[in-house]
């Protein structure tokens, strides 16, 4: 009976530790899913030693093939690999909770702070950091790649940038001030 209680306490502590680590990753990562991947990788392989690198790469491959955000899928698969369904749920909540709370707060107050020059400067200051964070996994994936394949990848990326820029420009113009006002005044 004592051993069962000790095991249950140990599992709960392990799930809590997984949740806290994923919460920190979700809270301090800017740039979306691909920016989270190297941070999750460093945390679960290098710092904690929870899983081996090859297992992580297998989980990452699985996460890329599953529908949904890659960072979320990766966190869920890592949690599942470690502690089953409870681990998957713990990792899911840890990664999602910070973004959910931040988006909720931003949605409630965005129209009031958008014209603030400090907020505007902060958003502009984050842009190069986000680009650098997104380039980190790309450079990591190219290790050991033949130069000809890197040339092809660079050419494809170069051609995709103008397309993505146009899509972003159209998406920005699609958001109107009344819809932002409605979003910020809505009671959640």
């Amino acid at each position: 009976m004592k051993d069962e209680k000790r095991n249950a306490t140990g599992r709960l502590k392990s799930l809590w530790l997984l949740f806290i680590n994923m919460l920190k990753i979700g809270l301090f990562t800017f740039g979306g899913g691909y920016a989270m991947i190297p941070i999750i990788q460093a945390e679960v392989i290098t710092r904690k030693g929870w899983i081996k690198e090859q297992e992580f790469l297998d989980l990452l491959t699985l996460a890329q093939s599953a529908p949904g955000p890659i960072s979320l899928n990766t966190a869920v698969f890592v949690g599942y690999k470690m502690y089953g369904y409870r681990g998957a749920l713990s990792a899911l909540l840890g990664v999602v909770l910070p973004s959910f709370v931040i988006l909720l707060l931003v949605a409630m107050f965005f129209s009031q702070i958008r014209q603030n020059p400090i907020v505007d400067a902060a958003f502009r200051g984050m842009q190069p950091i986000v680009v650098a964070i997104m380039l980190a996994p790309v450079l990591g994936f190219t290790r050991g790649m033949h130069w000809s394949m890197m040339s092809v990848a660079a050419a494809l990326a170069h051609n995709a940038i103008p397309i993505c820029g146009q899509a972003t420009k159209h998406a920005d113009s699609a958001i109107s001030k009344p819809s932002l006002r409605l979003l910020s005044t809505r009671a959640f």
Side-chain angles (χ1 to χ4, degrees), residues 40-52:
I40 294 172
Q41 184 178 15
E43 188 70 23
V44 301
I45 296 171
T46 309
R47 289 193 66 226
K48 301 295 181 187
W50 287 336
I51 59 175
K52 295 178 180 159

Side-chain angles (χ1 to χ4, degrees), residues 2-188:
K2 269 186 173 180
D3 288 336
E4 288 177 23
K5 201 172 192 179
R6 195 175 309 144
N7 286 342
T9 304
R11 278 192 302 257
L12 189 60
K13 195 174 186 179
S14 297
L15 289 170
W16 178 250
L17 187 61
L18 176 65
F19 171 78
I20 292 297
N21 279 284
M22 293 298 174
L23 184 78
K24 286 190 294 187
I25 290 169
L27 187 60
F28 296 112
T29 306
F30 292 97
Y34 285 103
M36 283 180 146
I37 299 300
I39 297 169
I40 294 172
Q41 184 178 15
E43 188 70 23
V44 301
I45 296 171
T46 309
R47 289 193 66 226
K48 301 295 181 187
W50 287 336
I51 59 175
K52 295 178 180 159
E53 187 170 8
Q54 187 57 48
E55 288 176 315
F56 182 81
L57 293 175
D58 292 342
L59 293 173
L60 183 60
T61 302
L62 187 60
Q64 288 175 332
S65 64
I70 188 167
S71 59
L72 184 65
N73 291 343
T74 303
V76 167
F77 290 142
V78 166
Y80 182 79
K81 175 77 174 166
M82 294 172 58
Y83 304 112
Y85 290 115
R86 290 181 179 162
L89 182 63
S90 180
L92 170 73
L93 291 174
V95 168
V96 169
L97 193 61
S99 298
F100 177 75
V101 170
I102 290 169
L103 280 175
L104 186 64
L105 293 172
V106 167
M108 291 179 358
F109 300 108
F110 186 74
S111 67
Q112 298 166 3
I113 64 171
R114 178 61 184 119
Q115 302 306 321
N116 185 325
I118 295 170
V119 172
D120 192 47
F123 278 127
R124 276 188 273 148
M126 284 184 217
Q127 287 175 346
I129 295 168
V130 170
V131 170
I133 289 172
M134 291 176 73
L135 281 176
V138 171
L139 295 175
F141 291 143
T142 60
R143 265 188 266 148
M145 191 182 274
H146 191 268
W147 68 269
S148 62
M149 292 306 292
M150 277 198 259
S151 299
V152 170
L156 289 172
H158 176 70
N159 289 331
I161 290 171
I163 296 168
C164 293
Q166 289 297 324
T168 304
K169 188 159 88 175
H170 293 302
D172 288 345
S173 65
I175 300 175
S176 65
K177 289 183 182 178
S179 64
L180 286 176
R181 231 177 278 121
L182 176 66
L183 184 63
S184 66
T185 57
R186 189 177 206 137
F188 287 96

